[in-house]
Amino acid sequence: MFGILSLGFLLGMQHALEPDHIAAVSSIAARRTHVGDIVKHGLTWGLGHTLTLFVFAGAAILLGHAIPETVAQPIETAVGVMLVGLGAHVWWRLWRDRVHFHTHSHGDGMTHFHAHSHAGETVALASTSPHVRAAHGHAHGFRWRTLLVGLMHGMAGSAALLVLTVSQAPNPVIGLGYVALFGVGSMIGMGVLSSVIAVPLAASARWLTWANRGLQMAVGAITIAIGIHSIIENAFT
């Protein structure tokens, strides 16, 4: 029994490294600049993922019914649509916060240029006093949107997890324990992965604006590509 439960935990950690999971969390983390905040988002994704894995796969184990393909495929398609939306949102924020260059001349004849972003400006302010920032706040509450993304991913992974559980667990009780540890493993795996993702994003945001924007563009493109692939694979096959 210990071996089966340990296997569930290790497979859960590996499960967190699937491309669509990495893409989703990376797209959420792309516009953030603090390592701790990015890791918290990764753990929140893992919590949502674990909750729906346990509820859906656990219910299927207790009821003795597999999750039918007619249910699993639409959920996978919905996850693909969600990924396309997350990637597009990264690109939209890049456009909204777009950076351009200004040239300045001084009284001594010196001329230089610097980069400038329109992040936080309002139309009214920009029209009367260019480059004045509007007042803005930062939300530090619970990360509900990240939780919802994790919940969706957990629903999509329930069918595959059920197959693994049935093949490994000799009875429903051990099966539920397997599912729970699988979910905990995926949560820890995503926390570790988020730490890895956070370092280049946070460092480039502070010192290399062009590199950070390049990373965000790449994250958006990859997320959209994985989402389109998921939609095609599940909706048109």
Side-chain angles (χ1 to χ4, degrees), residues 1-2 4-9 50 53-63 158 161-184:
M1 183 179 72
F2 178 78
I4 292 172
L5 295 179
S6 299
L7 178 63
F9 178 78
T50 299
L53 275 180
F54 189 78
V55 170
F56 276 71
I61 290 169
L62 293 175
L63 295 174
S158 298
L161 175 59
L162 185 60
V163 174
L164 275 173
T165 306
V166 170
S167 66
Q168 298 292 336
N171 61 64
V173 174
I174 295 178
L176 290 174
Y178 182 97
V179 171
L181 285 176
F182 185 97
V184 171

Side-chain angles (χ1 to χ4, degrees), residues 139-231:
H140 296 288
F142 190 75
R143 295 151 181 84
W144 291 106
R145 189 172 66 177
T146 304
L147 181 71
L148 290 174
V149 173
L151 290 169
M152 281 290 295
H153 261 127
M155 290 170 62
S158 298
L161 175 59
L162 185 60
V163 174
L164 275 173
T165 306
V166 170
S167 66
Q168 298 292 336
N171 61 64
V173 174
I174 295 178
L176 290 174
Y178 182 97
V179 171
L181 285 176
F182 185 97
V184 171
S186 66
M187 187 173 177
I188 293 173
M190 187 53 73
V192 173
L193 177 65
S194 298
S195 302
V196 175
I197 293 170
V199 174
L201 285 171
S204 61
R206 292 179 184 179
W207 298 303
L208 295 168
T209 302
W210 59 269
N212 183 263
R213 287 174 62 80
L215 283 173
Q216 290 192 53
M217 287 183 68
V219 166
I222 293 169
T223 303
I224 290 171
I226 292 174
I228 291 173
H229 178 267
S230 180
I231 293 169

Side-chain angles (χ1 to χ4, degrees), residues 7-237:
L7 178 63
F9 178 78
L10 293 174
L11 288 176
M13 292 190 70
Q14 182 189 43
H15 181 69
L17 302 178
E18 291 188 1
D20 58 327
H21 298 164
I22 297 174
V25 174
S26 296
S27 66
I28 293 168
R31 62 189 179 87
R32 306 182 191 282
T33 58
H34 298 287
V35 173
D37 190 31
I38 293 172
V39 173
K40 287 175 183 176
H41 276 278
L43 291 173
T44 303
W45 176 94
L47 175 63
H49 182 265
T50 299
L51 288 173
T52 44
L53 275 180
F54 189 78
V55 170
F56 276 71
I61 290 169
L62 293 175
L63 295 174
H65 295 292
I67 298 173
E69 281 294 312
T70 53
V71 174
Q73 281 195 329
I75 294 175
E76 293 281 359
T77 303
V79 168
V81 173
M82 178 186 71
L83 289 174
V84 171
L86 287 172
H89 187 254
V90 172
W91 280 0
W92 175 78
R93 288 188 66 89
L94 279 174
W95 177 84
R96 188 192 67 178
D97 301 342
R98 59 196 178 281
V99 173
H100 60 274
F101 293 91
H102 289 284
T103 302
H104 290 279
S105 298
H106 295 271
D108 58 3
M110 290 272 304
T111 301
H112 68 274
F113 66 95
H114 68 89
H116 173 80
S117 171
H118 281 294
E121 293 179 3
T122 64
V123 175
L125 283 171
S127 63
T128 57
S129 181
H131 316 315
V132 175
R133 287 179 176 273
H136 64 284
H138 297 280
H140 296 288
F142 190 75
R143 295 151 181 84
W144 291 106
R145 189 172 66 177
T146 304
L147 181 71
L148 290 174
V149 173
L151 290 169
M152 281 290 295
H153 261 127
M155 290 170 62
S158 298
L161 175 59
L162 185 60
V163 174
L164 275 173
T165 306
V166 170
S167 66
Q168 298 292 336
N171 61 64
V173 174
I174 295 178
L176 290 174
Y178 182 97
V179 171
L181 285 176
F182 185 97
V184 171
S186 66
M187 187 173 177
I188 293 173
M190 187 53 73
V192 173
L193 177 65
S194 298
S195 302
V196 175
I197 293 170
V199 174
L201 285 171
S204 61
R206 292 179 184 179
W207 298 303
L208 295 168
T209 302
W210 59 269
N212 183 263
R213 287 174 62 80
L215 283 173
Q216 290 192 53
M217 287 183 68
V219 166
I222 293 169
T223 303
I224 290 171
I226 292 174
I228 291 173
H229 178 267
S230 180
I231 293 169
I232 294 172
E233 189 176 57
N234 292 283
F236 302 104
T237 57

